[in-house]
Every structure is written in structure tokens, then in C-alpha cells.
């Protein structure tokens, strides 16, 4: 079933079809654009897609990411949770010192961090309105939604801040999974890739410097890269792929923050199984061949061997690692219990990630590191 037919089918079955008519129309239009883009790309681009290199050094910060070095402020990316309530600033209980922000709260929060040397953030959308989630994640690329609104605001207010955007559907789907589902509840890879690549393109058009697909659907890196090329953006919009993302229990605090827990089942059929080193190596090689500019491993500290593998496989590419919410929360809990010193353990954990081969770290410790470094 095509994406447009899927949209029509869901519209027919929806008892509130009149209310959601504009949403369905928007999704149908998007599907048509997606098909046209894919068709045009197939005749306008030939050769090896991994030959597209300019985005990797089009920005001063990404040029610095090409070098190997010790822990510096430039290598840190700070995760931000952006809600659709403009005035919200709510603490996240399971993530110490972290908040959900509305766009009206972003500038006052970020201004002192930028003065201390913050160079880069990654945005996660957290829609809270009851009507914001549906089976297709149609709100993910809403022009008035939290991520696109935040991109535009941050580009205008902080022109030197490098803006990464996580690209996934789990925060926007009513079922909480990272793509579009078949009727039997399994993931429809083709429909998911089509949808996710459209979301990535929307973020790029809005002004994101980097799009980072975290969904783990097969083929989404190539689909995104082709759409960036077709839109004339591949030379300056970086593609950082969550290539080796393992399933497990370390994402709990993040799911609390983002409201992205699956309503049924789990993500073991599309996130990598713990111990799946061979699968991780294959996924890394796949994403390199499909045009990724940066390879990411997630979680970080528990998969230092995979970070090392990523660096061996992608010797000429930057490798990123995500020090995930569970790792961060455990270090804080240990420090609070007096087991160890927070600063010492944060440094030890992060420097271990760097020694394994990463040159970029997505970390909730970023505000503390801005003071410590």
C-alpha cells in the first residue's frame, strides 16, 4: 500500500475525519511531493552517493569535528527537549538538571551557556497537546510545531550555534513506535522511510545544520541524502546517522522526557540487539555507503567496543557517541549516594568514550563541562 493510499485509508476509518481533514490533505500533498522528488532524483543523480562530502566541512564547527583531540567544548552536543507549550520550563524528574522547554524559554536558558562556550545542540520535539499524535506522526514536520519553530528562533537569535535535529516519529505517533505500522503492528519500513525522509527535509529547509535520523529503519540514510541533494541542500546540511543504536533499558529517562514510550510491544525488531556486534558493523558500513557524514553509536559507555569498530570501519569520518539518559542518571545517582565524585566520574566516562574513538559526544553533562573545561 502506498503512503497516499495509507493516508486515505486511515482517513476513511477515522470517525473524526472532518476534524482532521486539513491534516490528511497535508499528508497527501506531502506524499505527492515525496514521489516527485524521488522520481526526479533517480534521473538527476548518478554514481556513488557517498561522494557528497561538502556538508562535512561547510561549517566552522564541523571542520573542527574532522580532527582528533582531547575533550573540548567544541566536541559536545547538548540535547534539548522542545514542547508545543511556548512558555513551559518543566524539570524532568528522572534527568537531573534537565528540562522540557517551550520556545519562549529557550533564549533565556541558552544565553548564559553560549557565553560559556556552548557550540551545538540537538533538538527533540515533545508534543503535549492531545491532538498532536496520530498513527502517521503527521505533526513531526508541522511548520508551526516545536522543532521547526525552535530551529527558526535559534538561527535568528544565535547565528553561531550549530543546530542538530533528531529525526524520528516516536514522539509524534499515537503508538510510540519509530515509524508507520502495518495492520498487524509490525513496522512498515518503506512507508516509514518515506515519511522520515520528508521530516528530515522539512528540518533542513527550516534551517537545521544537521539532520540525525534515529529511527533505525533500513535505507533511511540514502532516502534522506537523495532528498537533500534534490532540494539543493546536501552541500551544507550534514547527515549524522544513528547507525549502531542498541535496544535496552538505558533509554527510560529519555522516554519520560520525550513521552515516547511504545504503547505496545518494544523496539527490538528495529533497534540492534545487545551483543549484536556483527549487525552493528554491517549497519555502520551500510550507512557509510548510503551517504552518512557522521556515524553515531548509542549508548556510549556500554558499547566502547562498537565505538572502536566504528572508528576502524569509518577511519576517515567523524564518529559520534550518545551518552544516553540512563548513563547520565546512573552517574548522578552514584554521586548523590556518595559512591564517587560527580565531576571525576563524568570526566572518566566521557574520556573513555573519546579513547574508544569518538570525536563528538552528545551529552547531558554539557552545561557542567562548560564550567569544568
Amino acid at each position: 500500500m502506498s503512503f497516499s493510499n495509507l493516508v486515505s485509508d486511515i482517513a476513511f476509518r477515522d470517525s473524526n475525519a472532518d476534524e482532521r481533514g486539513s491534516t490528511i490533505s497535508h499528508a497527501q500533498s506531502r506524499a505527492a511531493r515525496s514521489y516527485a522528488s524521488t522520481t526526479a532524483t533517480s534521473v538527476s543523480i548518478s554514481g556513488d552517493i557517498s561522494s557528497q562530502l561538502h556538508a562535512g566541512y561547510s561549517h566552522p564547527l564541523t571542520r573542527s569535528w574532522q580532527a582528533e583531540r582531547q575533550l573540548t567544548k567544541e566536541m559536545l552536543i547538548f540535547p534539548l527537549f522542545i514542547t508545543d507549550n511556548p512558555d513551559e520550563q518543566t524539570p524532568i524528574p528522572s534527568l537531573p538538571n534537565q528540562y522540557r522547554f517551550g520556545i519562549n524559554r529557550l533564549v533565556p536558558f541558552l544565553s548564559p551557556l553560549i557565553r560559556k562556550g556552548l557550540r551545538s545542540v540537538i533538538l527533540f520535539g515533545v508534543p503535549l497537546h492531545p491532538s498532536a499524535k496520530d498513527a502517521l506522526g503527521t505533526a513531526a514536520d508541522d511548520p508551526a510545531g516545536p522543532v521547526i519553530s525552535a530551529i527558526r528562533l535559534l538561527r535568528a537569535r544565535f547565528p553561531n550555534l550549530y543546530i542538530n535535529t533528531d529525526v524520528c516519529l516516536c514522539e509524534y505517533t499515537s503508538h510510540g513506535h519509530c515509524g508507520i505500522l502495518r495492520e498487524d503492528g509490525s513496522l512498515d519500513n518503506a512507508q516509514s522511510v518515506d515519511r522520515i525522509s520528508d521530516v528530515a527535509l522539512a528540518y533542513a529547509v527550516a534551517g537545521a545544520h544537521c539532520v540525525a535520523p534515529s529511527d533505525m529503519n533500513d535505507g533511511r540514510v540514502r532516502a534522506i541524502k537523495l532528498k537533500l541533494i534534490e532540494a539543493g541542500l546536501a552541500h551544507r546540511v550534514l547527515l549524522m546517522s544513528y547507525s549502531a543504536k542498541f535496544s535496552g533499558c538505558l533509554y527510560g529517562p529519555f522516554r519520560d522526557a520525550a513521552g515516547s514510550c511504545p504503547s505496545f510491544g518494544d523496539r527490538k525488531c528495529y533497534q540492534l540487539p545487545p551483543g549484536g556486534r556483527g549487525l552493528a558493523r554491517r549497519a555502520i558500513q551500510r550507512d557509510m555507503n548510503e551517504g552518512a557524514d557522521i556515524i553515531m553509536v548509542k549508548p556510549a559507555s556500554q558499547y566502547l567496543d562498537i565505538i572502536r569498530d566504528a572508528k576502524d570501519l569509518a577511519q576517515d569520518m567523524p564518529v559520534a557517541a550518545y551518552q544516553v539518559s540512563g548513563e547520565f542518571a546512573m552517574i548522578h545517582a552514584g554521586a548523590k549516594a556518595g559512591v564517587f565524585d560527580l565531576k571525576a566520574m563524568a570526566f572518566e566516562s566521557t574520556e573513555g568514550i573519546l579513547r574508544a574513538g569518538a570525536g563528538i559526544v552528545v551529552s547531558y553533562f554539557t552545561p557542567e563541562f562548560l564550567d569544568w573545561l
Side-chain angles (χ1 to χ4, degrees):
M1 180 184 289
S2 70
F3 183 65
S4 57
N5 287 341
L6 179 65
V7 173
S8 299
D9 182 56
I10 289 178
F12 177 77
R13 288 183 283 149
D14 192 341
S15 60
N16 297 315
D18 289 340
E19 240 176 74
R20 297 175 58 207
S22 60
T23 300
I24 298 300
S25 175
H26 174 62
Q28 288 173 320
S29 174
R30 179 172 53 242
R33 291 198 308 273
S34 173
Y35 176 77
S37 175
T38 303
T39 302
T41 297
S42 68
V43 297
S44 65
I45 301 298
S46 60
D48 184 358
I49 197 170
S50 62
S51 66
Q52 304 292 311
L53 301 180
H54 287 175
Y57 55 98
S58 66
H59 189 279
L61 183 63
T62 59
R63 288 195 285 276
S64 75
W65 284 351
Q66 304 299 324
E68 297 182 17
R69 62 205 172 278
Q70 297 300 308
L71 180 59
T72 64
K73 296 178 181 180
E74 288 76 16
M75 68 186 350
L76 297 167
I77 300 176
F78 184 36
L80 290 173
F81 299 97
I82 315 299
T83 79
D84 50 8
N85 179 355
D87 295 312
E88 181 172 9
Q89 183 169 339
T90 303
I92 301 166
S94 55
L95 275 175
N97 306 323
Q98 308 298 309
Y99 301 84
R100 285 193 292 261
F101 293 99
I103 60 169
N104 292 346
R105 301 288 186 169
L106 280 177
V107 171
F109 175 78
L110 289 175
S111 293
L113 297 181
I114 289 172
R115 287 194 294 271
K116 292 178 183 179
L118 178 66
R119 297 294 305 277
S120 183
V121 297
I122 183 166
L123 306 181
F124 296 88
V126 186
L128 299 176
H129 193 276
S131 64
K133 300 189 179 191
D134 60 28
L136 305 177
T138 52
D141 52 358
D142 181 353
V147 171
I148 291 180
S149 298
I151 293 168
R152 291 171 174 159
L153 173 68
L154 296 178
R155 285 298 301 262
R157 296 299 296 271
F158 304 117
N160 295 322
L161 182 68
Y162 192 83
I163 302 168
N164 306 273
T165 50
D166 179 85
V167 182
C168 197
L169 299 184
C170 61
E171 302 103 319
Y172 301 93
T173 53
S174 51
H175 45 71
H177 282 280
C178 300
I180 295 172
L181 304 182
R182 298 184 178 92
E183 290 197 1
D184 64 2
S186 62
L187 198 70
D188 187 323
N189 193 87
Q191 299 288 353
S192 300
V193 166
D194 187 50
R195 179 77 187 97
I196 285 162
S197 56
D198 275 350
V199 174
L201 180 60
Y203 293 168
V205 169
H209 296 98
C210 168
V211 291
S214 61
D215 55 286
M216 291 296 289
N217 285 283
D218 289 333
R220 88 276 202 215
V221 170
R222 179 176 176 83
I224 293 170
K225 196 73 166 188
L226 287 173
K227 289 183 182 179
L228 291 176
I229 293 169
E230 181 64 25
L233 295 171
H235 66 293
R236 61 181 176 86
V237 177
L238 190 93
L239 203 169
M240 176 166 60
S241 176
Y242 291 67
S243 298
K245 180 180 179 181
F246 290 85
S247 63
C249 61
L250 289 173
Y251 306 132
F254 174 90
R255 291 173 185 171
D256 290 343
S260 61
C261 289
S263 60
F264 66 91
D266 53 44
R267 295 172 178 156
K268 293 180 181 178
C269 290
Y270 47 97
Q271 294 181 357
L272 300 180
R277 188 172 186 176
L279 276 172
R281 292 174 63 88
R282 289 164 60 193
I284 290 164
Q285 291 171 311
R286 173 199 65 193
D287 289 359
M288 290 169 57
N289 293 334
E290 290 186 6
D293 299 298
I294 295 176
I295 297 298
M296 186 192 290
V297 177
K298 178 182 180 180
S301 300
Q302 281 71 24
Y303 290 96
L304 299 181
D305 57 335
I306 307 301
I307 296 174
R308 183 70 264 167
D309 284 351
K311 192 58 181 174
D312 289 342
L313 292 167
Q315 294 181 17
D316 301 321
M317 296 173 63
V319 173
Y322 198 138
Q323 196 175 43
V324 299
S325 58
E327 298 174 77
F328 173 79
M330 285 192 295
I331 291 174
H332 263 276
K336 186 176 181 179
V339 177
F340 43 70
D341 177 74
L342 178 66
K343 179 179 178 180
M345 182 54 70
F347 267 102
E348 182 177 336
S349 174
T350 307
E351 288 173 345
I353 294 166
L354 303 182
R355 285 191 298 269
I360 304 162
V361 183
V362 181
S363 177
Y364 300 95
F365 281 114
T366 297
E368 286 87 350
F369 278 128
L370 296 177
D371 291 323
W372 294 338
L373 289 171

